[in-house]
């Protein structure tokens, strides 16, 4: 079974509270999601392999560590995943970005795929799938399915807020995938919304409601 990591650093918890608040406007919401994504990236990349190189400081030559040329890919699930991209890429500027477009049918709650564009070497990369919300888990499972269909094997999932139902569904469908969250909430409501959650992440990020 993959790891379930709750990134509960005080800065993350503080910012998630502001993100949840219905009075937070679109501009602040977007900035806070970006900031939390950066803080989570710190935890998600904790196990990146390092290599030692020689570097000359103004004082002396020394051995020092750099990331060992690991090829990374960031895979936002459209739309709301876009809100986390910059926050992560800031720390990993060499990562390639692939997009998986899915929306959740409001009646069936099943994901509908409408767009996929991935780096040609995606199967060689360690991937981080990002989406602020993990509700039923249908969208995350479909995005990971799409990556596995293209022979990707190293996949992590990072979401801001999850329902236990979504975590369980992803763990059952993809037991090899580690899941990183900023908060694990109580449950889903009858419309598949996370309680207490933050409402509709896409609408709050892009001001569409
Ligand atoms: C939201 C969210 C996830 C999905 C989560 O997207 O960003 O992708 O719902 O729900 P699930 O775990 O039950 O699949 P939505 O379908 O509203 O599309 P949007 O990002 O374009 O607004
Ligand atoms: N998608 C969202 O944007 N919010 C939820 O609570 C569930 C799915």
């Amino acid at each position: 079974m993959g790891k379930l990591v709750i990134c509960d650093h005080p800065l993350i918890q503080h910012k998630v509270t502001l993100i949840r608040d219905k009075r937070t406007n679109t501009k602040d919401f977007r900035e806070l999601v970006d900031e939390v994504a950066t803080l989570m990236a710190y935890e998600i990349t904790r196990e990146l392999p390092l290599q030692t190189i020689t570097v000359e400081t103004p004082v002396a030559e020394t051995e020092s560590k750099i990331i060992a040329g690991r090829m990374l890919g960031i895979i936002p699930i459209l739309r709301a995943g876009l809100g986390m991209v910059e926050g992560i890429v800031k720390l990993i500027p060499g990562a390639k970005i692939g997009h998986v477009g899915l929306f959740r049918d409001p009646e069936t709650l099943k994901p509908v795929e409408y767009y996929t564009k991935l780096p040609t070497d995606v199967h060689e990369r360690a991937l981080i799938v990002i989406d602020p919300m993990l509700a039923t888990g249908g969208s995350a499972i479909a995005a990971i399915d799409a990556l596995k269909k293209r022979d990707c094997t190293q996949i992590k999932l990072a979401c801001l807020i999850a329902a236990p139902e979504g975590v369980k569904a992803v763990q059952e469908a993809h037991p090899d995938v580690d899941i990183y969250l900023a908060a694990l909430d109580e449950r889903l409501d009858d419309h598949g919304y996370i309680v207490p959650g933050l409402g509709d992440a896409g609408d709050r990020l892009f001001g569409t409601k």
Side-chain angles (χ1 to χ4, degrees), residues 61-177:
E61 194 175 275
T62 187
E63 305 278 282
S64 196
K65 294 193 192 319
I66 58 166
I67 290 169
R70 185 76 176 271
M71 303 220 310
L72 295 173
I74 312 297
I75 314 291
I77 300 179
L78 306 180
R79 283 177 302 171
L82 290 175
M84 297 172 70
V85 172
E86 285 307 315
I88 296 180
V89 169
K90 236 180 270 175
L91 294 188
I92 319 170
K96 295 258 173 80
I97 300 168
H99 296 86
V100 178
L102 294 169
F103 69 85
R104 201 171 69 152
D105 182 299
E107 300 300 324
T108 64
L109 300 184
K110 298 278 178 251
V112 180
E113 192 170 336
Y114 59 87
Y115 182 78
T116 300
K117 184 76 182 174
L118 299 168
T120 48
D121 59 358
V122 70
H123 58 286
E124 294 170 17
R125 292 179 175 268
L127 304 175
I128 308 169
V129 175
I130 53 176
D131 191 330
M133 308 307 277
L134 178 60
T136 64
S139 302
I141 290 169
I144 296 167
D145 283 343
L147 295 171
K148 287 190 173 173
K149 230 182 269 166
R150 290 163 176 84
D151 298 328
C152 301
T153 55
Q154 307 169 68
I155 304 171
K156 293 179 192 286
L157 172 67
C159 305
L160 299 193
I161 299 182
E165 295 89 329
V167 171
K168 184 164 177 277
V170 172
Q171 286 177 330
E172 283 174 6
H174 296 295
D176 55 313
V177 171

Side-chain angles (χ1 to χ4, degrees), residues 174-188:
H174 296 295
D176 55 313
V177 171
D178 293 340
I179 303 174
Y180 293 79
L181 305 175
L184 179 58
D185 276 9
E186 287 165 26
R187 62 183 171 88
L188 294 177

